[in-house]
Amino acid sequence: MPVHCSRGRLWIGLAVLFLAAISPQTARADIGPKPTMKFEIVYEISPAPGIVAAVLEQCSDPNCSSSSPFTQGGPAHFTCSWRSCDSLGYSYSEYQRLKFSFSDGKTRLSNVFTKRNYYARYEVAVRENDLLVTERAGEIEPFFSVYWFLLGGAVLLAAGFLVSIVLLIVIALRGRAFEESRKVYLAAWILSLPTAGIVLLASLFSGMIIVLLAEAVIAILYAALRKRSMALVLTVVFLLTVVKAPVFAFVAGFIPPETEGIKWILLSGLFFCLLDAGVLGMALRKTARFPETLLFALANNVPYWVMGLISIILRLAISMR
């Protein structure tokens, strides 16, 4: 699979976290937790008749003077077997009532009941002429869920993105080594760590971890061979990765088709080079000239270019068979 597509998947994965924060109601409806109702049926008559039809009525008042059947569709449902009923929905009315039709020819109504728990459980006693519903111990709405996980991830990603930009500007303008500005460097690593963790996790699933590791090794070699501040170089490269990932996520949908993949790899790599060289050049202006940081940026983006071009060529070769 092409690296530019893999990188696109990385950014798209990060974009999902932003979308969870931008559209919380949509996220909740589609992937968040949903309230449920489970009914255990107990027969107090013998022989026990079979359930022919079952309706969960949504009532407008405690007397259920006006009601409508529970709306089903998508994941929302209400189903029954001989011994139990199960329901999942986006929401429920304050008052409920059951209506069962049995094989003995009788239609039995339950008492009007409420729903106190998010995951509610009930016992339904089938009596001679009616149903008696009693709510049992259930579970409240879970705080930790897919929805909250995505929302929390989006908040961390957005916060880390903004913090990284500020710290990147501060470090670039100051141009000081770690010993001269310990607090700024520590803040950069600690505050950006959650966002970096999300980027790293996304890279593991997309295959871009190889490129990220190669860029880190090149940064270490550059700082060691040119005797530049290791902490400064690594911190700038680290923050650049954290900043570029969310920004690029929003343009992932505009990645060109396979026939234009080589152009995309070259142009995006050139953009990354100029950005890396400009920021690092500002940070190292006391010890390094811009041509040096530009050469480093070119070298640092070689893994991206090489893997991208190789994967595109292989993909085209396979498609031409």
Side-chain angles (χ1 to χ4, degrees), residues 32 41 77 232 305:
I41 302 175
H77 67 270
L232 189 151
W305 275 327

Side-chain angles (χ1 to χ4, degrees), residues 13 25 35 42 170 242 252-253 264 272 315:
Q25 295 301 321
V42 177
V170 171
V242 172
W264 169 258
F272 291 149
R315 179 67 177 271

Side-chain angles (χ1 to χ4, degrees), residues 185-197:
Y185 280 90
L186 291 176
W189 285 90
I190 294 174
L191 296 178
S192 301
L193 193 59
T195 305

